[in-house]
Amino acid sequence: MATTNDIKNGTVLKLEGNLWSIIEFQHVKPGKGGAFVRTKMRNVRSGKVVDKTFNAGIKIETATVDRRDYQYLYKDGDDYVFMDTSDYDQLTVPGAIVGDYANFMLESMMVTIAIHEGSPLYIELPASVVLEITYTEPGLQGDRSTGGTKPATVETGYEIQVPLFLEQGTKVKVDTRTGDYLGRVNE
């Protein structure tokens, strides 16, 4: 058991039979009345985000979550197989837990997986990944101006919007949280 004073970003709480991950928190000490902690929490299973306020100093139940780095190996039906690089154990994660992150995962990529009591809760990718454009319409002469975008398919099969001047074979940086184009990568 912990108290509300122990809350930090990333802490996982057990509330009403569910696991909630703290996204952000704020300790508030008003001039009148008792102090409290305002939190924004995400349900680990459903992804639902809620705001909850706790009185300062009350006891809360935290969950033990083991976060480890795994290497993505391959997709097996609807599941994804990862390997712990320290002991070579393989972990199968259901597609529902991987979710939209599958659009940004390449084989042998390192990800962080949170595990609670032997079952995977969620995965975390780096904030951005570098992917190669496998198909896009050719840019036309004069399309070098700012502003316009066109659809492009990256090597994972995901479609993003890129500037008109980008061509097939170009490596681009993509935000894994939003799927937005962040820039061209020169190697």
Side-chain angles (χ1 to χ4, degrees), residues 21-127:
S21 177
I22 302 294
I23 300 170
E24 51 186 67
F25 71 97
Q26 179 181 20
H27 288 277
V28 180
K29 295 180 184 173
K32 190 175 186 181
F36 58 91
V37 180
R38 189 178 294 139
T39 64
K40 185 178 278 190
M41 306 184 300
R42 175 181 290 120
N43 186 311
V44 171
R45 298 267 183 226
S46 68
K48 179 180 174 185
V49 176
V50 298
D51 294 322
K52 186 161 176 67
T53 303
F54 298 96
N55 290 331
I58 66 166
K59 297 240 184 260
I60 52 174
E61 188 176 357
T62 58
T64 305
V65 175
D66 184 23
R67 295 167 46 124
R68 298 174 75 179
D69 290 334
Y70 284 82
Q71 183 179 29
Y72 172 53
L73 296 179
Y74 58 91
K75 183 175 181 183
D76 183 22
D78 290 338
D79 298 335
Y80 295 83
V81 179
F82 296 88
M83 178 182 68
D84 185 341
T85 53
S86 62
D87 59 10
Y88 305 108
D89 282 348
Q90 291 189 0
L91 175 69
T92 301
V93 179
I97 292 174
V98 173
D100 290 339
Y101 285 142
N103 297 326
F104 310 108
M105 289 190 327
L106 293 173
E107 289 182 6
S108 77
M109 173 186 232
M110 295 302 290
V111 301
T112 302
I113 301 178
I115 300 171
H116 174 66
E117 295 176 355
S119 64
L121 298 175
Y122 58 89
I123 72 167
E124 294 174 353
L125 293 182

Side-chain angles (χ1 to χ4, degrees), residues 164-180:
L164 293 169
F165 61 85
L166 288 182
E167 298 172 356
Q168 192 168 313
T170 306
K171 291 192 183 254
V172 293
K173 191 179 239 185
V174 181
D175 188 324
T176 58
R177 295 161 296 195
T178 62
D180 292 341

